[in-house]
Amino acid sequence: MTHLPDRLPAAIMDRGVSVLGRYMDLTLQMECRFSHRLDLDRLARAADLCRVAEPVLGCRYDRSEPRAFWARLDSAPGSLLRCVTDESAFEQARRDMIDPYHNPQLQLVHVPASGGDRLLVKVHHLAADAGGTKEAVELLAGIYSRLKNDPGYRPEPNLAGSRNIDQITRCIPAWAWPRIFLNYCAEIWRKMVPLRSHALMADDNGRAEQSAVCGPLELRELSAERVTRMRKLATPVGATLNDMLIAAFLRAQVATVPWDGRAILRLFTTVDHRLNTLPTGRGESLGNLSAFEFYRLGRTLGGDLAETLKRVVARTRRRKASWFGMNSYLLETRLVNWLDDAKLIEKGEEMVGAAGRMGNIANALTNMGPIEERQVTFDQPAESAFLIAPPARRLLVLAGVSGYRGRLTLSGGAPENLHHGATTKALFDNLLAELPD
């Protein structure tokens, strides 16, 4: 068995994500419902072995030096598996976030349910994004299933696989960087001119990270039949389901918070470069391999969803034709690499604070992608599965979407003090009202 190191370097994107931790609870969660019972002893053993197979899961994030690093925990402070007995305790567990500075980056919560079990798998965003979380759950499921027939199984640690974005950037030919630079300049212009954005936004007033509070978490499921009807509307105009959700989100913002017609319609989304760039569709190791994409519709929303969708599709086509999701790898990641952690947090607060004072905050919709059956097969596949996006505590709203077996699940949380009394519930109500029934 390979020796596990006491210390691992923090990847560039880990350190970048740490800035986002000032504004949201950075725990990603996958919830699965099964029609069978899980072997809890085997599940606890599988969780412990995940800390061996992917060593970052068994580390805490250490900020004691100018540049943070991962420090291995000799043993988990308590079991990685928490068992609760009722729905109310399980609902509370959804709101409990991982403390990445003292605990491992993986936690499980189990509750018995009628006809089967429910399982909540938590992975902190410092260790992995949504794509990495799906890989972590697949690792857990694979070890769990293998232990049934091979109880002495112990995986080899994945120490050779990169957790960094070098596996993405080396897929970009040298001649593409000038084009990406021009794309980046155009994006900066669209973010800044004009300055004011229309968004669901909260007053911040320099609130400390610890004092900010997230409102209730919202979850909504769209049935497979409804998703089929969405596809029928999207296909004739060359739209994806993601395009339709972006269009519906922008329209829902306007329906939730009064729009004066002058503020600019903007939205952040995400691109998973495992699926978008890597030939294998997988990272070499668990990590943060996603990037932001930016949508700007100006002051023209369109009279209905179909008109908004056409504008979104046109923008998506332009970007997918020119290094989609690569802009932030040009400068932001290099700034993260140059600055120590204290300066990184300071500059992040300055930039976001200035944007908040100018009213130029854009909300975010992260497409966390489809969940495959193999990723949630614990002896047998899950009956249902979905990812829960990290809820925002300061300034903005973050919503997420994931899919399984033809269904979609929306998730999200927002600060409790949104302007105009807005809530995530109202936003999701308006978003679903835009979509085909």
Side-chain angles (χ1 to χ4, degrees):
M1 173 58 63
T2 304
H3 172 71
L4 290 172
D6 294 330
R7 177 169 171 152
L8 297 171
I12 291 175
M13 292 296 286
D14 303 347
R15 298 180 61 239
V17 166
S18 70
V19 178
L20 298 180
R22 308 282 293 184
Y23 302 94
M24 58 191 66
D25 289 320
L26 286 176
T27 300
L28 288 148
Q29 305 180 77
M30 184 186 290
E31 185 171 328
C32 304
R33 182 185 289 271
F34 300 92
S35 60
H36 63 284
R37 298 295 178 190
L38 299 175
D39 182 328
L40 297 185
D41 289 338
R42 185 157 41 110
L43 186 62
R45 175 66 174 155
D48 194 54
L49 289 176
C50 283
R51 300 189 306 124
V52 175
E54 288 288 349
V56 71
L57 295 177
C59 294
R60 62 180 177 84
Y61 195 70
D62 193 314
R63 299 185 293 182
S64 63
E65 297 182 4
R67 287 177 178 262
F69 60 94
W70 293 102
R72 181 147 190 91
L73 293 163
D74 291 335
S75 61
S79 173
L80 296 183
L81 174 62
R82 172 185 171 194
C83 296
V84 299
T85 58
D86 57 58
E87 289 292 323
S88 62
F90 192 78
E91 293 295 326
Q92 178 58 49
R94 277 204 195 120
R95 296 189 287 273
D96 295 338
M97 300 293 156
I98 292 175
D99 176 358
Y101 309 112
H102 299 92
N103 296 313
Q105 309 304 303
L106 174 70
Q107 292 180 8
L108 280 64
V109 182
H110 168 273
V111 66
S114 177
D117 286 353
R118 291 171 71 190
L119 179 65
L120 191 64
V121 182
K122 300 168 177 275
V123 177
H124 201 275
H125 208 323
L126 286 170
D129 54 18
T133 297
K134 289 187 286 187
E135 291 179 352
V137 176
E138 183 177 7
L139 174 68
L140 174 70
I143 294 175
Y144 173 87
S145 297
R146 179 158 180 173
L147 287 174
K148 182 177 183 179
N149 298 315
D150 184 6
Y153 170 69
R154 186 173 174 85
E156 280 290 326
N158 180 9
L159 297 175
S162 173
R163 296 190 60 252
N164 227 321
I165 60 170
D166 58 349
Q167 58 191 298
I168 307 297
T169 55
R170 63 176 173 247
C171 295
I172 305 173
W175 57 261
W177 287 110
R179 177 70 260 178
I180 295 172
F181 174 75
L182 293 176
N183 293 342
Y184 178 80
C185 293
E187 181 178 294
I188 293 296
W189 174 265
R190 294 187 179 100
K191 286 178 180 177
M192 299 299 295
V193 181
L195 275 177
R196 195 161 59 91
S197 297
H198 176 74
L200 279 72
M201 181 179 165
D203 288 319
D204 195 55
N205 299 322
R207 301 175 74 183
E209 176 184 3
Q210 294 81 6
S211 67
V213 178
C214 177
L217 179 70
E218 288 289 326
L219 294 171
R220 303 294 176 86
E221 183 179 285
L222 285 73
S223 69
E225 294 77 17
R226 189 171 189 182
V227 173
T228 297
R229 290 190 287 273
M230 290 169 60
R231 290 186 190 278
K232 287 181 178 178
L233 180 63
T235 300
V237 294
T240 63
L241 289 176
N242 194 56
D243 289 331
M244 181 169 287
L245 289 166
I246 290 171
F249 190 102
L250 288 164
R251 296 187 64 81
Q253 282 191 164
V254 171
T256 306
V257 172
W259 181 40
D260 61 10
R262 295 191 297 275
I264 301 301
L265 302 167
R266 295 180 168 106
L267 183 69
F268 281 105
T269 63
T270 54
V271 175
D272 185 350
H273 282 299
R274 294 170 187 80
L275 304 177
N276 195 62
T277 304
L278 295 180
T280 63
R282 297 179 63 88
E284 295 179 14
S285 184
L286 301 185
N288 286 285
L289 300 179
S290 298
F292 284 117
E293 264 295 326
F294 178 73
Y295 280 75
R296 178 187 186 274
L297 263 63
R299 298 187 177 101
T300 306
L301 180 64
D304 58 17
L305 179 64
E307 290 186 7
T308 307
L309 183 58
K310 289 178 182 178
R311 292 177 55 77
V312 170
V313 168
R315 190 265 175 206
T316 301
R317 284 175 177 165
R318 287 196 302 271
R319 285 297 299 122
K320 284 187 175 180
S322 187
W323 304 103
F324 195 53
M326 292 296 179
N327 288 350
S328 60
Y329 289 167
L330 185 73
L331 181 60
E332 277 92 338
T333 54
R334 285 163 174 77
L335 287 175
V336 170
N337 200 35
W338 294 334
L339 300 174
D340 63 36
D341 283 63
K343 186 63 70 174
L344 186 62
I345 296 295
E346 177 188 334
K347 293 301 181 185
E349 286 280 356
E350 288 177 1
M351 292 170 60
V352 176
R357 290 189 295 273
M358 293 184 292
N360 192 10
I361 293 292
N363 294 142
L365 173 65
T366 176
N367 187 338
M368 298 178 287
I371 300 167
E372 304 295 340
E373 280 196 357
R374 71 172 190 279
Q375 295 172 322
V376 289
T377 295
F378 290 73
D379 292 340
Q380 302 172 43
E383 288 295 311
S384 67
F386 56 87
L387 284 158
I388 303 173
R393 286 183 283 108
R394 294 172 61 190
L395 280 174
L396 75 161
V397 175
L398 172 67
V401 61
S402 62
Y404 183 69
R405 289 185 169 178
R407 301 183 293 270
L408 293 178
T409 301
L410 288 169
S411 61
E416 61 178 6
N417 59 334
L418 290 175
H419 293 176
H420 305 285
T423 62
T424 314
K425 179 182 184 302
L427 176 69
F428 280 14
D429 285 345
N430 288 323
L431 192 157
L432 293 179
E434 291 286 341
L435 299 173
D437 292 331

